[in-house]
Amino acid sequence: MIQELKEGYGHIFEEALINEIVQVGTFKEVSEGYKLMDIGEYVRGMPLLISGAIKVLREDKDGDELLLYYLEKGDTCSMTLTCCMGDSKSEIRAIAETDTKLIMVPVQKMDEWTAKYKSWRNFIFESYHNRLNELLNTLDSIAFDKMDMRLISYLKEKARINDGNIIKNTHQEIAYDLHSSRVVISRLLKKLEQIGKIELHRNYIEILTL
């Protein structure tokens, strides 16, 4: 675990902090689709991603989901940190987008490391900054972009996260992520196929050029 942690965070954290993380952290290896956190749960630890990707979702009053952002290697979730520090329930849902390795850091260490390690403080502040920018980008997309542009951006990001041009999500799953309907998403995907941007298959979508 320590070698993987150094590869992901060695350029951020000093060795003393990495050693502490190894001592108190809990290593987890989860499969694609695994629900790491759900809305309404108390948060007792903060994730540090070693490999893979996690998608973070919000839910409206009707139970419909909206994709907020992805977490990748070297990231953490500032919303999780906020819940940890405030001993409050989670307002997000976190699901493994790919097979993922991570270390869960106990909440009791948050304040201690913030005072003890400058690198930890900088990491937390940068995480807040990055997640805020991603949330603003999501808000701008909803407010200003048409659904076809949002869908193209979504497909591009999916391909980047999965490091390939094959997307295995169903039309309904994409609709959930984009807070739309399956009928609308299917129509837009068919339109993209007709102009040669993608190719639709029985169980997956192949990106040709976006």
Side-chain angles (χ1 to χ4, degrees), residues 151 155 171 174 184-194 198 200 205:
L151 177 58
L155 294 174
H171 296 192
I174 296 173
V184 169
I185 295 302
S186 294
R187 175 172 55 81
L188 291 175
L189 286 171
K190 191 64 179 176
K191 181 179 177 181
L192 289 175
E193 183 179 46
Q194 289 170 350
I198 64 172
L200 298 174
I205 300 167

Side-chain angles (χ1 to χ4, degrees), residues 22-202:
V22 170
Q23 289 172 12
V24 302
T26 301
F27 178 78
K28 297 187 72 171
E29 194 167 351
V30 299
S31 301
E32 175 186 343
Y34 181 84
K35 189 183 294 182
L36 289 148
M37 185 184 309
D38 206 356
I39 295 166
E41 293 181 350
Y42 280 101
V43 181
R44 302 304 181 193
M46 191 180 85
L48 298 176
L49 265 72
I50 294 175
S51 67
I54 294 171
K55 65 178 179 180
V56 177
L57 306 134
R58 188 89 163 91
E59 190 177 272
D60 68 12
K61 58 182 176 61
D62 298 319
D64 295 323
E65 293 178 334
L66 174 66
L67 176 65
L68 297 180
Y69 51 76
Y70 290 100
L71 300 175
E72 299 175 77
K73 178 180 178 179
D75 284 342
T76 192
C77 182
S78 52
M79 286 191 175
T80 301
L81 176 65
T82 302
C83 293
C84 286
M85 301 294 282
D87 194 28
S88 57
K89 293 181 179 180
S90 172
E91 297 183 359
I92 59 164
R93 178 172 293 124
I95 299 173
E97 174 70 15
T98 63
D99 293 345
T100 300
K101 295 179 181 179
L102 68 155
I103 295 175
M104 295 300 295
V105 176
V107 62
Q108 294 83 359
K109 290 292 180 179
M110 300 297 102
D111 281 337
E112 178 185 329
W113 288 350
T114 299
K116 189 174 180 181
Y117 297 109
K118 181 180 179 181
S119 64
W120 181 260
R121 289 197 303 275
N122 292 340
F123 174 67
I124 296 304
F125 290 144
E126 185 176 351
S127 295
Y128 273 121
H129 175 73
N130 291 339
R131 299 295 86 77
L132 176 60
N133 283 339
E134 288 167 336
L135 286 173
L136 291 175
N137 288 336
T138 299
L139 181 60
D140 286 346
S141 174
I142 294 170
F144 304 120
D145 292 346
K146 293 182 178 179
M147 183 54 71
D148 56 347
M149 296 305 299
R150 289 180 60 202
L151 177 58
I152 289 174
S153 296
Y154 172 89
L155 294 174
K156 284 181 177 179
E157 184 69 355
K158 273 277 187 180
R160 186 187 69 80
I161 290 290
N162 289 279
D163 194 25
N165 64 338
I166 301 299
I167 296 172
K168 297 180 180 179
N169 295 73
T170 65
H171 296 192
Q172 185 62 70
E173 288 170 339
I174 296 173
Y176 282 143
D177 284 348
L178 293 178
H179 209 276
S180 183
S181 71
R182 184 192 59 77
V183 173
V184 169
I185 295 302
S186 294
R187 175 172 55 81
L188 291 175
L189 286 171
K190 191 64 179 176
K191 181 179 177 181
L192 289 175
E193 183 179 46
Q194 289 170 350
I195 61 177
K197 298 291 186 181
I198 64 172
E199 192 169 300
L200 298 174
H201 299 270
R202 183 185 177 95

